[in-house]
Amino acid sequence: MTLSQNAKIGLVVFVVFDALLAIALVSLYLARSERELLTELREIGVTVYPQPMQLSEFQLTDQFGNPFTEENLNGYWSILFLGYTNCPDICPLTMAELKQFYQRLDDPEIKDDLRIVLVSVDAERDTPEAMANYVNSFNREFIGLSGDYDSISKLASQVFVAHSVVGQMPDRSEHADGVDRGYLIEHSSHLSIFNEAGQLQAIVRQPIRDRDLLTAYRLLRGRW
């Protein structure tokens, strides 16, 4: 059977319309799936940034004495927590949850390129050696970063972490070992999740629970 010119045009229009309808339906499905995903993440304390944020330059020192900059975040997914080794409560609790999360993460495809990083907000006491002892007590794969106050603050402000000494920091000359261990530091305690491009992808609010973090990380890796 030979189709007329009008029939051929009609057939082409139908096929094009059908294809556009299919694309629209897929787009609606994906939009709905993404909304459902974001809702699920919010319910466990995770906020995903619509546009991941690139960090500006910073330089800290890892527990081995090597420089660590924003470039060291490239090529890995990273979970950053800003705390300090003399923290009496929220820091060891959070680090313990990170330890449990890391141990439970049994998929090498999303574990081998993951870094857990503790950034100290205590420029006075947290030397690279102190950071090494602290992070190693949780997991020897974890990274501990320290630096001077300005360098720490430069990174902290980019991940929306506020930090301040509670009360007056005593004169270090008053102490035989040159270090005062009495003061505390108030600080924001959320986690910052960076994607493999070194961009801030999401934050995880307290309370941190290893099972929720495991769910969140798997969802993020599966979607972005």
Side-chain angles (χ1 to χ4, degrees), residues 83-86 120-127 147 152 169 183 185:
Y84 65 111
T85 64
N86 286 281
S120 174
V121 294
D122 189 351
E124 289 294 318
R125 294 176 293 191
D126 284 343
T127 62
I152 293 168
M169 186 183 299
Y183 65 87
I185 298 178

Side-chain angles (χ1 to χ4, degrees), residues 56-61 82 119-124 146-158 161 163:
S56 62
E57 293 182 359
F58 71 87
Q59 181 167 319
L60 295 171
T61 303
L82 274 74
V119 181
S120 174
V121 294
D122 189 351
E124 289 294 318
S146 56
D148 59 45
Y149 181 83
D150 289 340
S151 299
I152 293 168
S153 296
K154 188 170 185 179
L155 174 58
S157 64
Q158 295 187 72
V161 169
H163 59 102

Side-chain angles (χ1 to χ4, degrees), residues 90-152:
I90 194 67
C91 298
L93 290 173
T94 300
M95 292 297 292
E97 293 296 324
L98 286 167
K99 173 184 177 180
Q100 288 291 108
F101 154 75
Y102 195 73
Q103 289 176 340
R104 293 178 60 183
L105 190 59
D106 54 6
D107 184 350
E109 288 190 6
I110 59 174
K111 184 175 183 178
D112 290 350
D113 62 349
L114 170 65
R115 287 179 167 181
I116 308 295
V117 183
L118 172 65
V119 181
S120 174
V121 294
D122 189 351
E124 289 294 318
R125 294 176 293 191
D126 284 343
T127 62
E129 182 181 6
M131 294 300 290
N133 292 334
Y134 191 74
V135 296
N136 286 347
S137 69
F138 294 97
N139 192 297
R140 300 190 70 85
E141 297 294 324
F142 290 2
I143 297 171
L145 303 180
S146 56
D148 59 45
Y149 181 83
D150 289 340
S151 299
I152 293 168

Side-chain angles (χ1 to χ4, degrees), residues 10-202:
L11 180 60
V12 170
V13 170
F14 175 78
V15 170
V16 171
F17 175 79
D18 192 54
L20 291 174
L21 180 61
I23 293 171
L25 290 173
V26 169
S27 298
L28 287 173
Y29 172 77
L30 292 176
R32 180 179 178 182
S33 297
E34 184 162 325
R35 286 196 300 271
E36 292 174 349
L37 171 60
L38 294 176
T39 298
E40 184 177 354
L41 288 169
R42 279 195 297 270
E43 288 175 352
I44 56 176
V46 181
T47 299
V48 179
Y49 291 103
Q51 294 295 328
M53 292 182 288
Q54 192 73 47
L55 295 184
S56 62
E57 293 182 359
F58 71 87
Q59 181 167 319
L60 295 171
T61 303
D62 69 17
Q63 69 265 43
F64 306 108
N66 300 317
F68 190 103
T69 73
E70 72 286 349
E71 294 183 358
N72 291 98
L73 297 174
N74 294 333
Y76 299 90
W77 280 74
S78 304
I79 300 178
L80 268 68
F81 173 55
L82 274 74
Y84 65 111
T85 64
N86 286 281
C87 178
D89 40 42
I90 194 67
C91 298
L93 290 173
T94 300
M95 292 297 292
E97 293 296 324
L98 286 167
K99 173 184 177 180
Q100 288 291 108
F101 154 75
Y102 195 73
Q103 289 176 340
R104 293 178 60 183
L105 190 59
D106 54 6
D107 184 350
E109 288 190 6
I110 59 174
K111 184 175 183 178
D112 290 350
D113 62 349
L114 170 65
R115 287 179 167 181
I116 308 295
V117 183
L118 172 65
V119 181
S120 174
V121 294
D122 189 351
E124 289 294 318
R125 294 176 293 191
D126 284 343
T127 62
E129 182 181 6
M131 294 300 290
N133 292 334
Y134 191 74
V135 296
N136 286 347
S137 69
F138 294 97
N139 192 297
R140 300 190 70 85
E141 297 294 324
F142 290 2
I143 297 171
L145 303 180
S146 56
D148 59 45
Y149 181 83
D150 289 340
S151 299
I152 293 168
S153 296
K154 188 170 185 179
L155 174 58
S157 64
Q158 295 187 72
V159 294
F160 311 106
V161 169
H163 59 102
S164 61
V165 176
V166 178
Q168 181 66 37
M169 186 183 299
D171 186 346
R172 294 180 63 186
S173 64
E174 298 176 3
H175 304 277
D177 60 0
V179 178
D180 172 72
R181 304 189 185 283
Y183 65 87
L184 299 175
I185 298 178
E186 290 183 344
H187 61 94
S188 309
S189 55
H190 58 266
L191 303 180
S192 301
I193 300 180
F194 288 81
N195 61 29
E196 60 188 359
Q199 301 167 321
L200 181 57
Q201 182 78 67

